[in-house]
Amino acid sequence: MKQLIVNTKSSSYDILIEKGILSRCAEYIAQVIRGKKAMIITDSNVAPLYLDTVSKSLTEYGFDVYSHIFTAGEKSKHLGTISDIYDSLSEHDFTRKDFIVALGGGVVGDIAGFAAATYMRSIDFVQIPTTLLSQVDSSVGGKTGVDTKYGKNLVGAFYQPKLVVIDPLTLDTLSDHFFADGMGEVIKYGCIKNSELFSILEKVDVKENIEDIILECLKIKRDVVNEDERESGIRMILNFGHTLGHSIEKMSEFSLSHGECVAKGMVLITKASENAGITKKGTAEKIEKLCKKHHLDTSITKSTKDIAQNAKNDKKGSGDKLNIVLLSDIGHYLIHTIEKDEFAQFLS
Ligand code: MG
C-alpha cells in the first residue's frame, strides 16, 4: 500500500492508495473515526457499482450504515442537493459524533464535503474518490462547495477530510472520456513540478502504472496544500492552464470536460509565454503532443481575444493585474504578473 500524510494548518490525515482497498476500507476508517453511524453519499452512476462494497465493509466493521444517492452530474451541485442531505442526516438522527463518506467523483466529493463542513457546524468525513480527476486532485486539499446560478463553486468551505482512500481499480469502470479528463490534471502536475513524471507519461502505459502516477501527482498536491491550505499564495500553481481553461470551459457551456479545457489552456498559455521569451522553445509542442497521446484535444475553436476577455472578467478582486502561472521549462513553474489590459495582447 502507498501512503501519504497531509499536514495542513487545520489538520493532518492520511491518503491510502491500493488496488482493492475499497472492500477493506472500513478497517482504515475505524482507525481515524470515533463515530458509529456512517452516511455514504454517492451519485446515481457510482451507487450501482460500489455502494454495496463500501457499505458491506462498514457494516462488517460494526458501523450503522445509511446512504444518500443523488442524480449524477454537475447539475446536482447546488444548495438543493445539500438541503436534501441535511434532511437525510436529520431523519436518521445523525449527530456531530457521526460521519459522512463521500463515494464518487469530484461532484460527490464537493457536495458531501460541504454537507460535512456545515451539518451541525461540521461532522467528520472520509473521501473515497472513484474517478481519476478526483483521485489525483479534488479529494485532497479540502475544497468543498456547490455552484449557484451565478457561477461554479461560489459557495463552499475549506474543510479537510479525516482520510482519503483511493482504489485505482475503480478506474476500470471509468469511460475513456472521463479517464482522459483526469489525465489533463495529471499532465499539469508534470508540467509544473515534475519533469520526470512528464517523461514517464510520454513513455509508459498509464493504466499499467497508475498507482505510481497517482502517488506522484498527490505528492505535489500534498506539498502545495501543506504550505498554503487556503490558496493565498503558492496553491495557485495548481491552476496552471486553468485561467484559460475555465474560460474555454465556460464558453463551451460546459460541454467540454474540465481536463480537456485545462489541456487546451496549458498549450495556449505556453505558446504565448514561449513567444514572450519566458518559456523554453518547444515546450508548448511537447505538452500538446503529450495531451494528444492521452486523448485530449488541444485545438482551440474560439478566438484568443474572446478567451482572454472572458478569463480576465472571471478573475475576482485582484485589481488591475493578473497573476498567471507559466513554465520556464517542463517541470518548472513561475508566476508572472501582467496588466489585465495586456492579457489579450500577450495571448495573440
Ligand atoms: Mg482543475
mmCIF file of all heavy atoms in Angstrom, residues 137 185 242 258, ligand 1:
data_model
loop_
_atom_site.group_PDB
_atom_site.id
_atom_site.type_symbol
_atom_site.label_atom_id
_atom_site.label_comp_id
_atom_site.label_asym_id
_atom_site.label_seq_id
_atom_site.Cartn_x
_atom_site.Cartn_y
_atom_site.Cartn_z
ATOM 1 N N ASP A 137 -6.682 14.825 -7.645
ATOM 2 C CA ASP A 137 -6.854 16.254 -7.418
ATOM 3 C C ASP A 137 -7.882 16.596 -6.343
ATOM 4 O O ASP A 137 -7.536 16.921 -5.198
ATOM 5 C CB ASP A 137 -7.217 16.922 -8.762
ATOM 6 C CG ASP A 137 -7.272 18.437 -8.681
ATOM 7 O OD1 ASP A 137 -6.759 18.999 -7.699
ATOM 8 O OD2 ASP A 137 -7.822 19.050 -9.605
ATOM 9 N N GLU A 185 -5.292 16.857 -15.668
ATOM 10 C CA GLU A 185 -4.682 17.283 -14.401
ATOM 11 C C GLU A 185 -3.358 16.547 -14.143
ATOM 12 O O GLU A 185 -2.415 17.130 -13.615
ATOM 13 C CB GLU A 185 -5.635 17.054 -13.224
ATOM 14 C CG GLU A 185 -6.956 17.845 -13.281
ATOM 15 C CD GLU A 185 -6.814 19.343 -12.955
ATOM 16 O OE1 GLU A 185 -5.704 19.796 -12.594
ATOM 17 O OE2 GLU A 185 -7.830 20.057 -13.107
ATOM 18 N N HIS A 242 -5.432 26.726 -16.005
ATOM 19 C CA HIS A 242 -6.823 26.867 -15.578
ATOM 20 C C HIS A 242 -7.439 28.229 -15.888
ATOM 21 O O HIS A 242 -8.645 28.326 -16.059
ATOM 22 C CB HIS A 242 -6.963 26.589 -14.074
ATOM 23 C CG HIS A 242 -6.978 25.127 -13.736
ATOM 24 N ND1 HIS A 242 -5.921 24.290 -14.023
ATOM 25 C CD2 HIS A 242 -7.913 24.336 -13.140
ATOM 26 C CE1 HIS A 242 -6.211 23.063 -13.603
ATOM 27 N NE2 HIS A 242 -7.407 23.060 -13.070
ATOM 28 N N HIS A 258 -13.567 19.316 -17.960
ATOM 29 C CA HIS A 258 -12.613 20.184 -17.267
ATOM 30 C C HIS A 258 -11.175 19.886 -17.714
ATOM 31 O O HIS A 258 -10.425 20.782 -18.079
ATOM 32 C CB HIS A 258 -12.764 19.993 -15.757
ATOM 33 C CG HIS A 258 -11.789 20.799 -14.951
ATOM 34 N ND1 HIS A 258 -11.895 22.161 -14.818
ATOM 35 C CD2 HIS A 258 -10.687 20.439 -14.251
ATOM 36 C CE1 HIS A 258 -10.906 22.602 -14.060
ATOM 37 N NE2 HIS A 258 -10.159 21.585 -13.700
HETATM 38 MG MG MG B 1 -8.701 21.554 -12.001
#
